Amino acid sequence: MLMERYMRVSQAYDKQVYTEDGIYLGKVEEALIQDNSRIYGWQVRLENPKIKEALRGKGIIVPHTLVRAIGDIMIIARVSIKKEE
């Protein structure tokens, strides 16, 4: 069985997002495109109450360079947690 190397950006929407160490953050809300050609980052709607309270926000932006894997879920590096402005 071959693994899919590419996927449509829209297929990532609503995927659950976890850190590398298994902490659930929320769901992918939107892709941020740079120069009409590259994904700059992902807007994630926070659903974990503890993380949401700690960051005092509704969402975060995860730079695409810190995404470790996208499949049934999205896995990100823990250091990528930043407040959405």
Side-chain angles (χ1 to χ4, degrees), residues 2-60:
L2 295 173
M3 288 184 55
E4 289 184 39
R5 181 163 166 81
Y6 300 99
M7 65 185 284
R8 293 181 189 271
V9 171
S10 61
Q11 290 177 297
Y13 295 160
D14 289 326
K15 287 199 182 283
Q16 294 179 330
V17 180
Y18 290 83
T19 63
E20 292 174 307
D21 49 353
I23 298 170
Y24 175 68
L25 298 176
K27 291 187 178 178
V28 175
E29 202 167 52
E30 190 173 353
L32 305 172
I33 309 295
Q34 181 178 24
D35 299 327
N36 283 333
S37 62
R38 294 189 158 191
I39 296 174
Y40 164 76
W42 299 91
Q43 182 174 322
V44 176
R45 180 180 61 251
L46 295 174
E47 294 183 347
N48 179 323
K50 290 181 181 179
I51 301 293
K52 194 173 183 177
E53 183 181 328
L55 295 178
R56 296 183 186 149
K58 295 179 184 176
I60 57 173

